[in-house]
Amino acid sequence: MRLIATAIVLTLAMVAGCDAQRGQTSQQSPPAGAAAGTDTYYQQRLKWSGCGDGFQCATAEVPLDYAKPGGDRLRISLTRLPAEDGSRRVGSLFTNPGGPGGSGVQFVRQAARTFGSDVRKRFDIIGFDPRGVGSSSPLRCMTGPQLDAFYAADTSPDDQKEVDALASEGRKYADNCRAKAAKLLPYVGTTNAARDMDVLRAAVGDDKLTYYGASYGTYLGASYAEQFPGKVRALVLDGAVDPKLSSTETLVEQAKGFETALRAFAADCAKRPDCPLGTDPDAALDRLTDLQKRADARPLTNTRDSRQVTESWAAMGVATALYAKEYWPILRRALAQAIQKNDGTLLITLADQMVEREQNGTYSNQTDANMAVNCVDKPNPPDLSAYRKSVDEAEKVAPRFGQFVVWGGLPCVYWPAQTKQQPQPLAAKGAAPILVIGTLRDPATPYSWARNLARELSSGVLLTLDGDGHTAYLQGNPCITAATDRYLLTGQPPKDGTVCR
C-alpha cells in the first residue's frame, strides 16, 4: 500500500543555515560501488524543458541490466521545480513518495510547493518515476477488469474452494506479468532503482545526494546509502521500512500497524456525535467486525458503478482513510452509510484512491509496479501451504486486517522472477548522518520499523512524531518541519531520539 498525497501547505519558514556543497557542473565518473562500464550513463547531461506551472521535465537513460551496461536501456522520467533563489542554491532534492509503484513525477507536481520555504528557495525539488513506474519504461500486466476482480477476491476464505479462488487470482496475476513483461521483471527491484538514482544524481551535476523518501521511499534511500555511502549528503527517511524483515514478516507487521491505527480511529470516533460505531471504543471495533462479516456474506451496494462492494473492497476503503487523520471524518460518513444503509459507495471510492483507479475503470500502473518490485526484492514462500502459515499468524495478531493485507501478496508465490538474496539490515557504513522519521500510530509503516532502521544504519538519527497517520513530514507539524528543514539545509540532524507532538 502506498502513501496518499495530501495537499497540506506548510506555513513555517525556517531560518536556514549555510552549506558549502553546491551542485557541480563538471562531468562525473562512476563512484565506488557503481557497476563497471557505466561511464556513459554517469556522464550524460539532462536536457530540461518547461512542462507547465513552473516545472521542468527531462529524461535520462540507465541500463536495463547493470551487469551488462552495453545492452538494453531504460528511459527514466524526471520533473523538477527549480530553486527559487538560484544565487543561494544548494543543489537538488530528490524525492520518492513510496509504493513501490508511486509516481515521483506526480508527487512533485502535487507536493513540491508544500516543502518549507527555505527548502524551496535553495533546492531544485526533483521527482522521478523509478524504472517500471509511471512514465519510466512502465510495466503493465493487468487490465482494469482483471484488477477489479483481483481486488474483489475474498481475502477471508471460509473453505478450500475460496482459498483455491484466491490462488487462482494469484496465478493469473503472475502469468499475465510473465506474458507481458518477462524481460523487465528481473530488473525492477530496489537495488537497481537505487543505482539509477546515483546516475540521476550525477546527471543533474550534484556531487552528493540530498533526498526525501516516504514509506517505501525509505527502503530505496537506505539501499542507496548502503551502495553509495560516500555519496550521501542528507537523506530523510520518513515512515521507515525495516529492510531486514522477510516479505511475509513485512506484511504481518503492516497488518498490525493498520490494527493499531484502527483502534486509534475507533477511540476518536467514539467521542464524536456523528460516530456510527457507538460511544464505546471496544464496541466500535466489534461493529466494524460485524460490518466485515456482513459484506463477506452479501456485498454492499454501490451507486457509483457496477462493482459490488465486497469485504475486500470495504477493508481497503477503511485502510485508505487510516493513512491520514484528515480522512477520518470521511471514514465516519462512509461507515455510517455502510452500517445504516448497506451502501458501500463511499468506501469503494476511498479504495479507488488507494489503487489509483479512475472512474472509467482504468488504473495507473501503480499496482503492477508495486507487485513486481515487492515480489522480486525478497524471497517468497515456496507454495500456498507455506504462505498460509503467515496468513494464519497475521489473523491472530490483526483480526480485522491480517488476512486482507497478507493475502494481497499471494501472487509473489507464483512470480516468474525470484531472488535468493536474503533480506538483511542496511548499515551504510561511512555515510553522513541519515534522518529517520517515525510516527507512533502509523498504519502502513509501523513505528517499530523506524526505530529499527535508525539503529541499523551506522549514522541513523531517529525523529519521532507522537501522532497518527502515514509519515510525518509535509503533514504540517511545526516541530517535524523545523527539524527536517534544518537538516536538509545544513546537514545537521536533530538530537537522536527527539520526539515531536
Side-chain angles (χ1 to χ4, degrees):
M1 297 181 182
R2 74 177 286 266
L3 169 71
I4 296 171
T6 53
I8 300 175
V9 179
L10 302 182
T11 59
L12 180 67
M14 281 289 301
V15 178
C18 295
D19 191 299
Q21 194 258 329
R22 292 285 190 269
Q24 306 299 309
T25 57
S26 60
Q27 285 193 335
Q28 298 188 26
S29 299
T38 55
D39 303 61
T40 56
Y41 298 101
Y42 274 88
Q43 292 169 4
Q44 68 185 304
R45 281 293 170 264
L46 303 185
K47 296 180 180 179
W48 296 97
S49 59
C51 50
D53 197 26
F55 290 92
Q56 299 173 341
C57 295
T59 58
E61 289 191 335
V62 296
L64 171 68
D65 181 357
Y66 276 89
K68 299 176 181 178
D72 291 342
R73 299 184 173 198
L74 303 176
R75 293 177 66 83
I76 304 297
S77 295
L78 304 94
T79 293
R80 74 177 179 184
L81 185 65
E84 296 174 358
D85 185 352
S87 66
R88 300 176 64 228
R89 179 179 174 275
V90 175
S92 303
L93 172 59
F94 281 85
T95 65
N96 181 276
S103 169
V105 167
Q106 293 303 316
F107 171 73
V108 161
R109 283 195 167 273
Q110 295 166 2
R113 291 187 171 93
T114 67
F115 282 76
S117 173
D118 286 327
V119 171
R120 296 198 309 274
K121 287 178 182 177
R122 303 188 64 191
F123 286 98
D124 299 337
I125 301 178
I126 295 181
F128 68 98
D129 288 348
R131 54 173 58 206
V133 174
S135 53
S136 292
S137 303
L139 184 150
R140 286 279 186 181
C141 302
M142 302 278 275
T143 65
Q146 287 172 333
L147 283 174
D148 284 348
F150 175 76
Y151 283 123
D154 188 349
T155 52
S156 61
D158 300 311
D159 53 36
Q160 189 59 44
K161 182 179 179 181
E162 292 185 346
V163 172
D164 291 342
L166 275 173
S168 176
E169 288 294 332
R171 289 192 190 93
K172 185 185 303 180
Y173 207 129
D175 289 344
N176 283 346
C177 282
R178 180 184 291 107
K180 296 181 180 180
K183 187 174 183 179
L184 183 57
L185 290 180
Y187 304 105
V188 295
T190 300
T191 297
N192 281 328
R195 291 169 177 162
D196 294 345
M197 195 154 59
D198 197 56
V199 170
L200 300 179
R201 171 200 59 75
V204 301
D206 284 4
D207 183 58
K208 293 188 176 183
L209 181 73
T210 305
Y211 173 78
Y212 168 76
S215 195
Y216 160 80
T218 67
Y219 186 31
L220 177 59
S223 181
Y224 178 91
E226 180 75 4
Q227 296 181 75
F228 307 102
K231 289 298 180 179
V232 170
R233 177 188 170 274
L235 305 187
V236 176
L237 308 183
D238 183 12
V241 173
D242 187 347
K244 73 174 183 299
L245 297 179
S246 72
S247 59
T248 50
E249 285 173 340
T250 298
L251 293 173
V252 171
E253 290 299 312
Q254 186 176 63
K256 290 166 63 176
F258 276 100
E259 203 79 19
T260 297
L262 183 63
R263 286 194 293 270
F265 165 77
D268 180 83
C269 183
K271 303 174 185 177
R272 308 281 178 172
D274 63 340
C275 180
L277 303 175
T279 58
D280 183 319
D282 292 332
L285 292 173
D286 291 338
R287 294 200 72 181
L288 280 169
T289 300
D290 291 341
L291 176 62
Q292 288 179 303
K293 291 178 179 178
R294 279 174 47 199
D296 186 26
R298 183 180 180 183
L300 307 176
T301 60
N302 175 17
T303 61
R304 191 163 174 252
D305 54 52
S306 61
R307 288 172 296 163
Q308 293 184 315
V309 184
T310 64
E311 180 188 8
S312 294
W313 276 120
M316 189 184 298
V318 174
T320 302
L322 295 178
Y323 270 71
K325 199 168 184 177
E326 291 76 14
Y327 277 70
W328 288 9
I330 300 174
L331 180 55
R332 292 197 297 271
R333 282 179 24 223
L335 291 173
Q337 292 176 8
I339 292 170
Q340 298 164 10
K341 301 178 181 179
N342 205 51
D343 183 353
T345 304
L346 190 48
L347 282 174
I348 203 168
T349 301
L350 284 167
D352 285 349
Q353 292 189 40
M354 170 86 77
V355 296
E356 296 188 358
R357 184 190 190 274
E358 299 295 333
Q359 195 162 356
N360 64 7
T362 62
Y363 289 74
S364 75
N365 91 315
Q366 173 206 306
T367 298
D368 290 340
N370 180 286
M371 193 70 70
V373 175
N374 281 328
C375 290
V376 79
D377 264 358
K378 297 179 179 182
N380 300 292
D383 52 41
L384 180 60
S385 177
Y387 197 87
R388 286 193 70 174
K389 294 179 181 178
S390 294
V391 175
D392 293 342
E393 178 187 351
E395 185 179 13
K396 292 176 183 177
V397 297
R400 295 162 192 86
F401 283 108
Q403 292 194 80
F404 164 71
V405 171
V406 181
W407 277 125
L410 182 61
C412 292
V413 171
Y414 311 106
W415 208 249
Q418 299 278 351
T419 181
K420 296 181 179 179
Q421 183 67 43
Q422 294 297 320
Q424 57 187 357
L426 301 180
K429 294 181 179 178
I434 297 173
L435 181 60
V436 180
I437 308 177
T439 301
L440 286 184
R441 293 174 294 281
D442 189 314
T445 51
Y447 177 69
S448 61
W449 292 359
R451 188 174 59 234
N452 292 344
L453 180 60
R455 290 172 180 170
E456 292 158 11
L457 291 167
S458 62
S459 58
V461 175
L462 179 63
L463 175 63
T464 299
L465 174 63
D466 183 355
D468 301 281
H470 184 39
T471 72
Y473 187 59
L474 302 183
Q475 302 303 326
N477 180 278
C479 172
I480 293 289
T481 300
T484 304
D485 286 0
R486 184 180 299 112
Y487 168 70
L488 288 172
L489 288 160
T490 69
Q492 297 299 312
K495 182 181 178 182
D496 186 28
T498 297
V499 178
C500 293
R501 293 177 172 82

